[in-house]
Amino acid sequence: YPQWPYCRKRCSYCNFNAYAVPAADEAALRACLVREARTLLRLSRVRSVTSVFFGGGTPSLASPGTIAAVLEAVAGAAHLPAGAEITLEANPSSTSTSSLAGFRAAGVNRLSIGVQSLDDAELRMLGREHTAAEAREAVEAARGLFPGRTSIDLLFGLPGQSRDAWAQRLEETLRLCDDHISLYQLTLERGTALAAQVREGALPAPPQDLLADMYQTARAVLVGSGFRHYEVSNFARKGALSTHNLSYWRADQYIGVGPGAHGRFVLRDEGGCRREARVQILEPLAWMREVQSHGHGTRSRAVLSPLEQLEELLSLGLRTDEGITHERWGHFSPQLSLQAVFGGPGEARALQQEGWLVLDSGGLRCTWAGLAVLDSLLPGLLWQLQR
Amino acid sequence: QEKLDMSTYPVESIRNFSIIAHVDHGKSTLADRLLEITGTISKTDRNKQVLDKLQVERERGITVKAQSASLFYNHEGINYLLNLIDTPGHVDFSYEVSRSLSACQGVILVVDANEGIQAQTVANFYLAFEAQLSIIPVINKIDLKNADPERVEKQIEKLFDIPTDECIRISAKQGTNVEKVLQKVIEKIPPPQCNTADPLKALVFDSTFDHYRGVIANIALFGGEIAKGQKIVSAHTKKRYEVNEVGILTPNEQPTHKLYAGQVGYLIAGMKEVTEAQIGDTLFLYKQPVEPLPGFKSAKPMVFAGMYPIDQTEYNNLKSALERLTLNDSSVTVHRDSSLALGAGWRLGFLGLLHMEVFNQRLEQEYNMSVILTAPTVPYKAVLSSAKLIKEYGKDQITIINPAQFPDKLSVSEYLEPTVLGTIVTPHEYIGKIITLCQDRRAVQKDMLYIDENRVMLKYLFPLNEIVVDFYDALKSLSSGYASFDYEDAGYQSADLIKMDILLNGNPVEELATVIHNDKAYAAGKLLCERLKETIPRQLFEIAIQAAIGKKIIARETLKPYRKNVVAKCYGGDITRRMKLLRRQAEGKRLMRKIGNVEVPRDAFIRLLKRETDK
């Protein structure tokens, strides 16, 4: 996961490790990304890379040359199979669209476009740089270059958004989209401009019931159009699931490269066999200095205990429709099966009886209804696991 | 240390007096000046509230523990021993005031030249009057702009029947005319009527605990003499002690060879706990018992509060802090109690709200303990009619401190609630609002009279529970601070009491049950349901929150279930943050109390049970 931390401006709802400043020396940043990627791949002794995801910030502001350089570094340090999923996040502004071909040439084979909304007024409230028309153009261009491998990001539950407006958005989206949609309920994060506006009463706070309705409507409509609701916020049809994101929810290994990137992998180079949680230095210039002097700019690393690994697997795995298979659980917990932890009397059984959860030969997963209230189920399940 | 010889002060040269006043009228400042003038302390700018030794007293500007000081003053060639007995100024401590006064032959009654007579001026006057003490009226703060001593003198004449020319106008802050007060004390207050030849009879009017020396009792001798080595007996506990040390307070301890009849000082006699030297107790010589001094009574709590440690792991620390704090305050009653919500704790009884607040503050300042104080309750009573219960309790009248003990209507012939007689003094423009406030608190008017052209004194009989939480604040607020309040115990009256239960999806929450008057049940129930709705986290099913009296539901709120509760994004960096939050929530599950299938976090109880902290 290489992180490109720069944006042209900060959207009103964003609280990511992104910097709305003119990009630093791109050549230097590129060199650092390359160096860190090589270093971390070596430390992990990863042999084969299944997917690469360029996130940020706004990765489409980087030049295709940078993308190519990073991919080359990855291919040089490990085996990067020809069919590996290589995703780039992009903003639908005119300059990005014209570079799409360049990105494809650099090796990108999947595009995730931050559309967020197909209504100009909503886009302004969100502080986005593009119009609905530009978004449409971008999606169409992307579908031309990456057919079947274009994803759209969409937000719902905007302040003041009505049920009808949302229903209309959904319809418009279906007419426009390819085979993958990421649908996020807008979260008003502390410290963002949008949250401040709502707090001060300048914008209305969306009522809980409305948000629940919008979500259920979206699920029903998308599933009705052939999409599989495979994760809380992700929908795919014709098998176009995001390999990279699935690896998060299956607790696979991933390496974060770049300012603020997160990773979960084992440092086999040090003779280790314990999975670590790692974060790279957040501030780009500080991160670059560290990479230049030490080969990588890791801010923190912490070994995850077996319990912590299982806690992550549980919390992430239940976000998917497949849930956690017995096999996957067994990889992290050879002695204690899913059945042993959750099969007897306790929270999991009670939740099953109430129709929120299923534990069967396929593994442990949420029901259709349970997925929507997962965060109410998790604390009890975690406690059961801890016991 | 050199011991003083007190035999050089015959009874005729002794004056025992106290200073009484309404809060903030300048009692402690006057005491400071008297100490300075008599050379007891050196005259510096730093003499402020010298007798108030506790941090909380100095911060709040109040006197909590009575101190005494022996002053030496030469007037017209004679060396006088003037014993100043400082009194707590607050209504909560009226018993202490009355005991201190019983050691005096006169008082200085201080009245603010601008505020004039206030409720405690009246209350304290009556205490002194009933004790048949000489009263020297002093009008203080004449240096201030709005001072109107003439008006106050007229009030004093009208209300207390004291001629205006007996008033002395002073400024304690500046020292103006303070020496005149001393001279008046000598001239007007009689010496004590007692004889050193009589058997020892000493009144305990206060006590403190010192870690190295044990209990130090403040005593006033009504007869005989006392010295180291003598064997004495407490009339109340019947325990015997040997005297280790006697002395006077200047205001620090100054040992003497002996103390003689009519003198005031301290005594150390190997007592280990302040409960062995209770205020109002009489001490006499072993084998020479005397008639105990009248007026002694055990401290009666008027206000209760639950006290719980913030976390059960702090229980032992709080326990020892309470033990040490009550070493010095025998008027706090302590009973162990436990709450399903808050764990093991105590139900403490205080003399009043101020007493409780001061206690809490001392706990924080002196013992570094933060606690949860639950809303105070008052001791209700029930007269039992059920033979079974009478047998079980061993008596036919019980005191109900905990709602769980509330006996059912069928087993009871009468419920009783404690009452107080409250005195309110207010400028007449607030009469209407105050009458409404009192009526709202189920009070019955007993008297109303104008004490001067502008001000009215109202007497109301209040149910105690109606004033223990926020009556005083409400009174102050609607009278812009001008109204004053004082109260005294007025016994019990019959009351229509009920036990109000709180139900969650039909299951009672024992921690939230309250004993309340029927008239107030609906409003209280509704408020509690509303607050619960805001405090309990939503769950996956609907929650019916109800207030009930027996089977009858009197208020209800509904908490709707979550239909969506899952974080939208969970990639990369989100995961670590997410896990932190989830682990904290899982931890919280440990502390959840389950009422039926409804989960209630512990801190919801704390928030609901806590006293309002608007004070």
Side-chain angles (χ1 to χ4, degrees), chain B residues 298-309:
Chain B
S298 272
K300 184 173 44 94
M302 291 295 265
V303 165
F304 288 85
M307 184 175 281
Y308 295 86

Side-chain angles (χ1 to χ4, degrees), chain A residues 184-185 208-209 213 215 233-234 245 249 254 262 264 311 315 319 372-377 379 382, chain B residues 538 540 560 562-573 575-576 578-579 582-583 585-586 589-590:
Chain A
Y184 302 112
Q185 176 175 314
Q208 295 288 326
D209 269 344
D213 284 343
Y215 185 60
S233 301
N234 285 277
N245 289 339
W249 303 316
Y254 54 98
H262 284 244
R264 292 280 190 280
E311 286 173 341
S315 308
R319 290 180 68 89
V373 291
L374 176 61
D375 290 354
S376 291
L377 313 179
L382 276 174
Chain B
R538 291 170 76 175
L540 294 171
K560 293 199 288 195
Y562 267 126
R563 289 174 48 221
K564 182 176 189 289
N565 182 28
V566 60
V567 77
K569 284 200 182 205
C570 209
Y571 311 102
I575 297 176
T576 311
R578 200 70 204 116
M579 292 315 300
L582 282 172
R583 286 188 187 115
Q585 289 175 334
K589 287 274 178 178
R590 258 178 246 269

